[in-house]
Amino acid sequence: MVDPSSDRAQAATDAESAFMTLSHDRRLEILLALWDASGFSLSFSELRKAVGVRDSGSFTYHLSELQGHFVAKTDAGYELQYPGHRVLDAIQSGVFHEQVAVGPVDLESDCRECGERLTFEYDTDYIARIRCQDCGNRALEWPFDPGGIAGRDSDAMIRAFDRRTRLIWSCALDSVCPFCAGRIDPELTGHVHEEGACVGVIEQLDRYDEYFARDHPAVISVDCERCSFYSFVPVGVVLLTRPAVVGRLHEADIDLRETPLWDLGFVVDPDAVTVRQTDPIRAEVMIPDANESLGYLVDGSLDVIDERDR
Ligand SMILES: [Zn+2]
Ligand SMILES: [Zn+2]
C-alpha cells in the first residue's frame, strides 16, 4: 500500500526543485524570449541575443538548468515545452504580480431582493463581486484573475467574468479540476427542517459561511483531491449543461448563453431551490423567470429529472 503522505512529500520535493529551477530572473527571461519567438523556438545565438547576456558561461549555465523540462534542445536550437508554457500562462494570469481594483460598475441587471441595480466590482483580493449596493445582496462572487481585466472595457470584463465562472463550474461539476485536472467528487449537500429539527449538515462545511450563496438550502461542494481548489457551486448550475434543459428553457424564452449567471434566478435565487429529501438527497430547482411553470429535480449523482416526467 502506498502511503499518500510520502507521495505528497515526494511531490513537494519535486515541485520545489522545479520551482527552484525558475528562481533566477535570467531563466524567466529565457522562457519569455522563446515564448515571443516564431514557433517558440530560437537558435542558441538568437536566444542569447534576445535575452541580452554578455557572459556566455552564465547564459549557458542558466539555459542548461531549464533544459529537459521547460526547454528542449532541438536540431534548430531551443524550444519552449509544455511546462514552460504553463509557467508563462500562470504569470500572464497576473495573480503573482498584479493587483487591480475596478468599480463598482452599474449593471443592466436588477437585484432580486430589492429591485435596485446590481453592480460589478473587482478588488485586490482577486474576487469579482456582483452585488447590490442598496440592500447588500451578494448575487454572485467568485475569484477572477487580473488577466480578465487587462485590455477589456467594463462590459467585456463583466462578460469575461460570467464566461470564465461558468467554465470553471461546469468543469468542476464534471469531476475534473479546472486548475490542475485532478479528481473532484462533487457532492450535493443541503438541509431541510423536519419535525422542528434541521436535517443535513450544510453549515458544518468548511468555509461555507463565507460563501456568497450560503443562504441557499442546498449547494454542491467541490473539493479537488490534488490541489487546493475547494468551493461550492449553486445547484442550478447543473442545469446549464443539460441539453434537454437548455432546449426547454430556450422554448420558455430563457437564452442560457446570452443571459449572465446573475440574471438566472435558478442559479442565484435561494427561493428557487428546495431540498425535497435528504436520504438520498434530492433538490428541486424551480425556474422563476420562465413563462411557464418549470422545475427540475437534481439527485446526488447530479442527474436531472424534469418534474413533468415524474
Ligand atoms: Zn438589493
Ligand atoms: Zn485541482
Side-chain angles (χ1 to χ4, degrees):
M1 185 103 177
V2 180
D3 173 8
S5 66
S6 78
D7 264 8
R8 192 160 281 214
Q10 185 57 48
T13 311
D14 295 347
E16 187 184 350
S17 81
F19 269 107
M20 287 307 286
T21 306
L22 301 167
S23 64
H24 197 287
D25 54 2
R26 197 67 76 222
R27 297 179 196 168
L28 282 180
E29 286 169 21
I30 291 172
L31 296 183
L32 283 164
L34 289 172
W35 189 48
D36 277 340
S38 147
F40 308 107
S41 169
L42 288 171
S43 70
F44 180 85
S45 57
E46 287 168 333
L47 182 54
R48 190 175 146 195
K49 192 172 163 212
V51 177
V53 192
R54 285 216 197 91
D55 177 355
S56 163
S58 137
F59 176 70
T60 307
Y61 166 68
H62 290 306
L63 182 56
S64 71
E65 287 289 296
L66 291 168
Q67 216 174 305
H69 195 57
F70 298 105
V71 171
K73 178 135 176 49
T74 64
D75 290 344
Y78 294 87
E79 190 179 297
L80 192 61
Q81 297 298 289
Y82 181 73
H85 279 276
R86 293 305 310 275
V87 167
L88 295 169
D89 297 344
I91 292 172
Q92 290 305 108
S93 76
V95 294
F96 299 132
H97 63 293
E98 289 176 38
Q99 284 195 305
V100 201
V102 176
V105 178
D106 278 339
L107 301 176
E108 298 288 312
S109 315
D110 295 335
C111 172
R112 285 178 177 270
E113 300 284 323
C114 76
E116 290 299 316
R117 281 291 165 95
L118 290 174
T119 60
F120 169 88
E121 253 178 305
Y122 182 59
D123 212 341
T124 53
D125 59 2
Y126 304 99
I127 309 285
R129 295 180 169 85
I130 306 289
R131 65 187 195 99
C132 173
Q133 305 282 335
D134 287 82
C135 76
N137 172 25
R138 299 157 71 189
L140 197 156
E141 297 174 356
W142 196 260
F144 196 42
D145 293 350
I149 304 296
R152 290 194 169 100
D153 64 21
S154 51
D155 283 353
M157 70 178 72
I158 291 161
R159 186 173 164 85
F161 172 58
D162 171 68
R163 297 291 131 163
R164 186 163 180 275
T165 306
R166 283 168 192 250
L167 181 72
I168 290 171
W169 282 352
S170 93
C171 195
L173 292 183
D174 279 334
S175 304
V176 180
C177 177
F179 299 100
C180 80
R183 280 185 5 163
I184 288 177
D185 183 14
E187 195 177 345
L188 176 61
T189 176
H191 66 200
V192 63
H193 293 275
E194 278 173 10
E195 292 161 7
C198 184
V199 182
V201 289
I202 192 168
E203 287 82 4
Q204 290 168 24
L205 294 171
D206 267 0
R207 288 171 274 169
Y208 184 67
D209 59 346
E210 297 161 27
Y211 183 52
F212 74 90
R214 60 177 183 243
D215 51 348
H216 288 211
V219 289
I220 300 161
S221 75
V222 286
D223 186 3
C224 178
E225 292 178 10
R226 198 177 155 83
C227 78
S228 71
F229 177 58
Y230 173 86
S231 193
F232 311 95
V233 178
V235 183
V237 173
V238 173
L239 305 182
L240 293 172
T241 52
R242 297 299 187 273
V245 180
V246 174
R248 192 69 200 79
L249 294 197
H250 183 74
E251 288 165 19
D253 249 359
I254 300 176
D255 184 335
L256 290 186
R257 185 169 162 75
E258 289 309 317
T259 313
L261 288 167
W262 43 90
D263 278 337
L264 295 171
F266 64 91
V267 172
V268 295
D269 188 348
D271 296 335
V273 180
T274 313
V275 176
R276 283 283 166 236
Q277 58 181 66
T278 51
D279 192 20
I281 187 157
R282 274 192 163 185
E284 178 192 61
V285 182
M286 296 302 292
I287 312 294
D289 314 305
N291 55 17
E292 61 184 294
S293 170
L294 282 175
Y296 294 90
L297 283 176
V298 178
D299 69 14
S301 311
L302 306 190
D303 286 333
V304 173
I305 306 144
D306 190 328
E307 291 206 298
R308 295 165 313 162
D309 299 337
R310 291 173 75 202

